[in-house]
Amino acid sequence: MLNNIRLHGRRHERDTIGRLLRDVRDGRSRVLVLRGEPGVGKTALLDYLVERAPTGQVTRTAGVEPEAEIAYSALQQLCAPLIGRIERLPEPQRAALATAFGLTPGPPPEGLLVGLAVLGLFAEAAAQRPLVCVVDDVQWIDRMSEVILTFVARRLDAESVALVFAARSPGDEQLLGGLPELRVEGLPDADARALLDSVLTGPVDARVRDRIVAETRGNPLALLELPQGRTPAELAFGFGGRSTTPLVSRVEEDFQRRVAALPAATRRLLLAAAVEPVGDVTLLWRAIGRLGVGPDAVVPAEAAGLVEIGTRVRFRHPLVRSAAWRSAEAADLREVHRALAEVTDPQQDPDRRAWHRAHAAVGPDEDVAAELERSADRALARGGRAAAAAFLERATELTADPKRRATLALAAAHARFAAGAPALVPDLLAAAELGPLDLLQQADVERLRAQVAFALNPGRQAGPPLLAAARRLETLDPDAARATYLSALGAAMHSGRLGGDDLLRAAEAARAVPAGESMAGLLLAGLTTWSLDGYAPAVPLLRRALDALTTNDDLALLWLAGPVAHEVWRDETWHRLTAQAVGFARATGALSVLPTALAFRAGSLVYEGRFADAADLLDEAAGLGRATGLAAYPSASLTLAAHRGQELPATELIETTVEDAAARGEGRLLGLAGYAKAALCNGLGRYPAALEAARQAVEYADIAVFNWTLGELVEAAVRSGEPATATQARERLAERTSAAGTDWALGVQAVADALAGPAEQAEERYREAIERLSATRMRLQLARARLLYGEWLRRDNRRGDARAELRTAHDAFTTMGAEGFAERAGRELAATGETVRKRTMEAREELTSQEAQIARLAMAGRTNPEIGAVLFLSPRTVEWHLRKVFIKLGIGSRRELAAALRDQ
């Protein structure tokens, strides 16, 4: 073996691996990320882990730098030994995984569905005996494999699976962020000296040995490799001198020196082995035969300890592969790629063949470019957008025709943007503009550049480019123009008070475009009217747009449709849209929709008083954000924090949002933060602070936020003794609620009228508010109406009536988890003479949020596989959590769940 698993020292690391394996043997899954510099011993620790794996069921892969653009390549290698179990997966997961791996044709699978399939595959493999999955050199695996494996790692729990990664550090800390990790440092001095002594060939001065140990910082690879072939004098005066070259570079340079000393045929064999990514020995022998190299050329490399060729090709260390690859002459590298292309089966592995042919080409080659385009199409069909972009970029370089080059560069730019790499798009767009583009392509370039600007920074600077692109598209592609105008309007609304007159200019330009009867067209017409003509004329158009959003294709507009549902006070529509969006995104694994859908759904649940459910969804959205880089909009997090009433965490979140919004030019977030602070302070009874926050928030009519904040402003102003401010806010609110005319709108208005209207009408208006809000899903606002009514009754000395309303409000707030408002209701109840008892914890243990969510789904009749599909968990993990739920609730079956959950 090239990596001796007898480790020097490493007691802490060995103990950590031992605990991990014991947990896996006991039925729990464990994830671990080894981080450290090259050569520090991560691969040796992985070998140690594999050697001690229970029952020997191990699957392993490693990232290879030349392979980093091939979609799912690392994941497919990892899953290859398990693929026989694919038939045990549910059909949608089976189809997604088979398509991703190119086993069967099908529509492009969404990443989350592939992730759920891999999770299920691991669980099936571990059903009989524990499974150990090892991924080395994560920094070089392809993007889709990284996303899927990160997703799976966050959801493993009770499957008896160990998933262990090794990642280079420093420099790659963003990979696998938030997962349990073990920092692998250099060896302690004593162990480092022992390891160095094992490779020294003669006596070396003790001071030189100490200097070597100090300079290598105990890095085992450096200790083993750098002294190789050096005399004591060279060690003392060469290696021993202080060098400014980074240690990793020096180790690689040493490997390059050792490779250069090999015979030419051996160097060529090593180069072929370095370029061939999967370690296929049969393929390697065929390739070196094409190069005129015989099998005996491997002997000097094996004798030098650089490579081992048995059933697979294995380099001593990734730096050996890198040294062989980087030190090769360009002509030699092209010859090796050409040989590998010639021996790669075009039916079995067309994409690697195309990739090798592309790197073998000296100049433009239309045949290879066409083959790369076909590979890009196959990559897109598997959901590999980053791989498609890489194929298209290389095809661009190999195409001589300027127009064709420009078209390919534009296609590559779209693929990079779709792959979630907007920072790589501008250079491709610049390359596209070097060639002749027709008018539609020119407009497409402008539109994509604006979309990139919005994706990288959704502040004010994104709106004007989107508007310019929309104008260019008007006569070229009306549908694209409408969609781009809608994005421009949305960007301007997002910029809010920090966007100057961007919204007015975008709306004036958009009005000239025929809206049409599609949901996007109706939404564009409604928002244009809202921007230019005011609230009341826009309401009918916005309602029509929301009613037209019936197909899943329109859910990409959820980021606009959600606030619009609030703007026109349509709680049922808001509930329907968010439920539909989450259901669609989960069923299809739509990464582009799910984070936004989860956040918006969480917001609807906060207003419905379902704080625990909302928190579950926000946790899921945060996990997805860490895995994919797709952060959800923070509105629901702010609303939940504000109404939970925990001052310190809520204030920190609000302040962070304000800082981020100001820095990025996102004015609507300033309005959201102001609303959240007003709601928080009203709940805590700090009315002057609530008044100040609400005043600042309503200085700009942010869509949806303005409605919410006017109600907070009325309450804060009344309680702060500023009736004129309250009256003005109430009248501004009435202009909107009367036009909307829904029970939600009129219920909120009735509360404002009771607070700031004629005193003799207060009780009637409170009763109307409670009646109207009772007909909606807005349980949070209903409880607040009862609290205000109870406070009014107490001040009117009607203590008995006040107790009934305050008790109902207090119970509702306590059940929700609205601590600030519950405390406020409790103080009012105490003032009526009633003793307020805090709920005591029962002897049984409380359910975690995930356990509660699983219990509710089980109570609704979902099977374990169905619950797993909803929550992206394996059925075994669902079963394990349900057993814990039964124990905690003291029950024995699903039939008892409903009663037990009501008791909790």
Side-chain angles (χ1 to χ4, degrees):
M1 294 288 291
L2 289 175
N3 288 293
N4 191 336
I5 59 174
R6 186 183 64 81
L7 300 174
H8 284 263
R10 300 296 186 201
R11 180 170 183 174
H12 171 65
E13 291 85 350
R14 286 184 284 132
D15 287 346
T16 300
I17 290 171
R19 288 193 298 271
L20 178 146
L21 291 175
R22 284 195 296 274
D23 286 344
V24 172
R25 278 194 296 266
D26 292 341
R28 294 298 306 277
S29 293
R30 284 293 177 260
V31 175
L32 184 65
V33 182
L34 306 178
R35 295 193 190 275
E37 66 179 4
V40 79
K42 303 185 296 298
T43 300
L45 287 168
L46 294 181
D47 290 338
Y48 178 86
L49 165 71
V50 168
E51 181 72 12
R52 285 154 180 76
T55 71
Q57 185 174 210
V58 177
T59 181
R60 185 169 188 169
T61 190
V64 179
E65 195 168 0
E67 189 87 345
E69 298 289 1
I70 307 296
Y72 297 112
S73 58
L75 186 68
Q76 190 164 8
Q77 289 182 45
L78 189 68
C79 294
L82 315 176
I83 207 67
R85 298 175 175 85
I86 193 172
E87 295 302 322
R88 301 181 189 177
L89 300 178
E91 197 283 329
Q93 298 174 27
R94 183 169 65 247
L97 194 61
T99 304
F101 288 171
L103 303 176
T104 60
E110 284 288 350
L112 292 181
L113 202 56
V114 176
L116 190 57
V118 173
L119 182 64
L121 196 66
F122 285 0
E124 288 292 340
Q128 300 302 321
R129 53 188 180 134
L131 171 68
V132 173
C133 302
V134 172
V135 186
D136 203 353
D137 287 316
V138 174
Q139 71 277 359
W140 286 331
I141 68 173
D142 61 281
R143 172 63 177 161
M144 287 308 300
S145 294
E146 176 204 334
V147 168
I148 298 304
L149 288 172
T150 304
F151 171 87
V152 170
R154 295 187 189 285
R155 280 154 181 80
L156 286 169
D157 200 343
E159 296 84 1
S160 295
V161 175
L163 182 53
V164 183
F165 304 91
R168 181 171 292 186
S169 178
D172 292 298
E173 277 71 17
Q174 77 281 4
L175 297 173
L176 309 170
L179 296 177
E181 63 180 48
L182 174 64
R183 293 280 173 174
V184 184
E185 307 289 351
L187 294 171
D189 283 357
D191 293 320
R193 288 191 182 91
L195 183 60
L196 178 62
D197 288 343
S198 72
V199 295
L200 291 175
T201 58
V204 175
D205 186 273
R207 291 170 298 178
V208 173
R209 291 168 62 248
D210 290 345
R211 201 159 55 189
I212 293 173
V213 168
E215 192 164 347
T216 60
R217 301 186 303 280
N219 183 295
L221 184 68
L223 289 165
L224 289 171
E225 301 301 334
L226 290 177
Q228 293 289 329
R230 288 184 168 88
T231 66
E234 287 173 327
L235 288 173
F237 299 106
F239 181 76
R242 293 289 177 180
S243 172
T244 58
T245 305
L247 180 63
V248 173
S249 299
R250 293 169 62 192
V251 174
E252 186 170 351
E253 287 172 2
D254 187 72
F255 281 134
Q256 288 178 343
R257 175 182 60 79
R258 292 165 64 184
V259 168
L262 296 171
T266 302
R267 293 200 304 272
R268 182 160 284 204
L269 182 145
L270 273 183
L271 178 58
V275 172
E276 196 287 307
V278 296
D280 187 330
V281 174
T282 302
L283 190 70
L284 177 63
W285 291 140
R286 293 207 306 268
I288 65 171
R290 295 288 181 116
L291 294 167
V293 175
D296 57 345
V298 74
V299 175
E302 288 187 324
L306 297 175
V307 71
E308 182 181 86
I309 298 183
T311 57
R312 299 188 70 80
V313 179
R314 189 176 183 195
F315 283 92
R316 178 177 183 84
H317 189 273
L319 287 177
V320 178
R321 179 192 293 271
S322 178
W325 181 35
R326 295 180 189 279
S327 61
E329 297 289 337
D332 291 336
L333 191 57
R334 284 195 297 270
E335 285 298 318
V336 165
H337 275 294
R338 182 174 294 109
L340 285 167
E342 290 171 355
V343 299
T344 299
D345 189 328
Q347 302 301 319
Q348 296 296 320
D349 205 349
D351 297 334
R352 282 197 179 91
R353 180 176 182 273
W355 196 245
H356 286 311
R357 289 192 70 197
H359 285 79
V362 178
D365 189 320
E366 299 294 344
D367 181 55
V368 175
E371 191 172 341
L372 288 167
E373 281 190 83
R374 292 191 291 273
S375 290
D377 290 340
R378 284 189 292 269
L380 287 173
R382 299 195 304 271
R385 298 179 180 91
F391 285 130
L392 290 167
E393 287 173 22
R394 184 59 177 152
T396 302
E397 297 168 3
L398 295 177
T399 301
D401 177 52
K403 182 171 179 57
R404 187 73 185 135
R405 283 173 63 90
T407 300
L408 288 169
L410 183 55
H414 276 287
R416 283 293 182 200
F417 186 66
L424 302 178
V425 173
D427 286 346
L428 288 166
L429 292 179
E433 288 176 314
L434 293 176
L437 297 172
D438 60 32
L439 293 176
L440 183 57
Q441 287 176 317
Q442 291 172 22
D444 192 24
V445 167
E446 193 167 350
R447 179 191 187 192
L448 185 54
R449 185 171 280 128
Q451 289 173 327
V452 167
F454 187 62
L456 292 175
N457 189 342
R460 184 185 182 187
Q461 63 270 37
L466 283 167
L467 181 57
R471 285 175 169 147
R472 292 193 66 171
L473 285 164
E474 279 186 30
T475 58
L476 301 169
D477 187 339
D479 288 339
R482 274 191 290 272
T484 310
Y485 271 123
L486 197 54
S487 295
L489 275 171
M493 290 174 176
H494 197 69
S495 298
R497 67 198 67 202
L498 302 179
D501 62 349
D502 287 357
L503 181 59
L504 180 63
R505 292 192 299 112
E508 287 174 341
R511 174 159 279 180
V513 179
E517 290 299 313
S518 68
M519 188 270 174
L522 292 171
L523 189 57
L524 179 63
L527 291 176
T528 299
T529 302
W530 179 86
S531 304
L532 298 176
D533 304 329
Y535 183 85
V539 168
L541 289 168
L542 293 174
R543 284 177 180 161
R544 285 184 62 200
L546 293 174
D547 291 339
L549 200 163
T550 56
T551 67
N552 291 329
D553 292 339
D554 291 326
L555 292 176
L557 294 173
L558 185 67
W559 67 288
L560 280 174
V564 165
H566 270 270
E567 186 71 1
V568 296
W569 306 88
R570 295 275 294 270
D571 62 299
E572 281 294 343
T573 302
W574 189 27
H575 178 86
R576 172 179 64 82
L577 292 181
T578 56
Q580 180 184 353
V582 170
F584 168 74
R586 279 182 166 151
T588 61
L591 271 174
S592 58
V593 174
L594 187 55
T596 299
L598 289 171
F600 277 49
R601 182 64 175 162
S604 74
L605 296 180
V606 170
Y607 281 95
E608 292 178 27
R610 296 166 57 184
F611 288 13
D613 290 339
D616 289 341
L617 296 186
L618 289 173
D619 287 345
E620 185 179 344
L624 282 173
R626 289 190 295 269
T628 66
L630 300 172
Y633 197 63
S635 56
S637 298
L638 285 165
T639 305
L640 178 60
H643 287 94
R644 272 179 165 166
Q646 297 172 356
E647 185 172 9
L648 182 58
T651 300
E652 288 178 351
L653 179 60
I654 291 166
E655 290 175 350
T656 299
T657 302
V658 169
E659 292 173 3
D660 292 345
R664 293 161 60 91
E666 299 178 65
R668 186 169 182 266
L669 283 182
L670 293 177
L672 270 168
Y675 158 71
K677 185 172 182 180
L680 171 69
C681 293
N682 272 334
L684 297 172
R686 295 175 48 208
Y687 301 113
L691 175 62
E692 181 61 25
R695 261 198 184 120
Q696 293 179 11
V698 299
E699 288 176 357
Y700 187 90
D702 290 299
I703 190 165
V705 181
F706 187 69
N707 289 353
W708 306 336
T709 314
L710 283 173
E712 302 293 342
L713 180 57
V714 172
E715 182 175 340
V718 168
R719 292 289 188 257
S720 299
E722 294 199 20
T725 301
T727 298
Q728 184 185 33
R730 169 200 167 214
E731 291 170 352
R732 296 174 74 184
L733 184 62
E735 294 171 2
R736 291 166 166 257
T737 55
S738 60
T742 66
D743 280 326
W744 181 13
L746 297 177
V748 169
Q749 185 62 49
V751 170
D753 291 344
L755 281 166
E760 64 275 11
Q761 297 178 9
E763 182 164 15
E764 178 186 351
R765 301 299 278 152
Y766 275 128
R767 289 183 178 276
E768 179 188 351
I770 291 169
E771 181 181 356
R772 288 192 178 277
L773 291 172
S774 295
T776 72
R777 293 180 173 274
M778 301 293 102
R779 294 294 180 260
L780 176 59
Q781 289 178 302
L782 173 61
R784 291 186 63 176
R786 289 190 180 278
L787 170 60
L788 289 166
Y789 184 32
E791 290 174 337
W792 182 87
L793 288 168
R794 187 187 70 78
R795 286 167 177 76
D796 201 40
N797 290 319
R798 294 162 58 183
R799 293 193 173 191
D801 293 336
R803 286 192 196 105
E805 297 296 338
L806 291 170
R807 191 181 304 116
T808 301
H810 182 265
D811 288 347
F813 288 134
T814 302
T815 301
M816 293 175 195
E819 297 178 15
F821 284 103
E823 288 286 338
R824 180 174 148 188
R827 290 193 298 270
E828 290 290 328
L829 263 177
T832 68
E834 180 164 318
T835 300
V836 182
R837 294 182 178 85
K838 291 192 175 183
R839 291 190 174 184
T840 58
M841 291 291 292
E842 297 184 30
R844 63 189 178 200
E845 190 180 350
E846 276 197 358
L847 302 181
T848 66
S849 61
Q850 187 173 65
E851 289 167 351
Q853 196 172 10
I854 289 171
R856 287 192 290 271
L857 289 168
M859 186 178 66
R862 301 285 188 97
T863 65
N864 286 358
E866 288 171 342
I867 296 171
V870 168
L871 301 180
F872 298 113
L873 300 171
S874 78
R876 289 189 67 191
T877 288
V878 173
E879 180 183 2
W880 182 77
H881 279 299
L882 271 177
R883 286 200 299 268
K884 291 178 64 180
V885 167
F886 289 173
I887 293 170
K888 287 183 177 183
L889 297 182
I891 61 176
S893 72
R894 294 180 181 228
R895 292 191 299 274
E896 302 172 76
L897 274 171
L901 288 174
R902 277 197 301 271
D903 292 343
Q904 264 222 339

